[in-house]
Amino acid sequence: MGKLLLLSFVFATVAIPVIASRDKNPKRGLRRALKGVILFNLFYLFNLYYIQARMH
């Protein structure tokens, strides 16, 4: 499970900006990328503190 969590971080680091870069407006694309990274980091933090802690 730990390897999958690390792999999801690598995937999100690449995938979120790539998906956001498809927007025609560069400012809106940057905002979407930043929001996506922030939301993913919050999910990652939640996963580390609550879900992973209960599994060990």
Side-chain angles (χ1 to χ4, degrees), residues 2-56:
K3 289 182 183 181
L4 182 61
L5 185 63
L6 288 174
L7 187 60
S8 71
F9 185 76
V10 171
F11 179 72
T13 303
V14 174
I16 291 171
V18 168
I19 292 169
S21 71
R22 293 181 182 168
D23 202 338
K24 292 184 181 185
N25 186 349
K27 287 184 181 180
R28 189 171 53 204
L30 178 62
R31 286 188 197 124
R32 287 181 64 197
L34 290 175
K35 286 178 187 176
V37 169
I38 290 170
L39 288 174
F40 177 78
N41 285 337
L42 290 174
F43 168 74
Y44 190 80
L45 185 66
F46 172 77
N47 191 0
L48 285 177
Y49 279 122
Y50 295 108
I51 298 172
Q52 291 292 327
R54 291 177 189 237
M55 293 185 80
H56 289 274

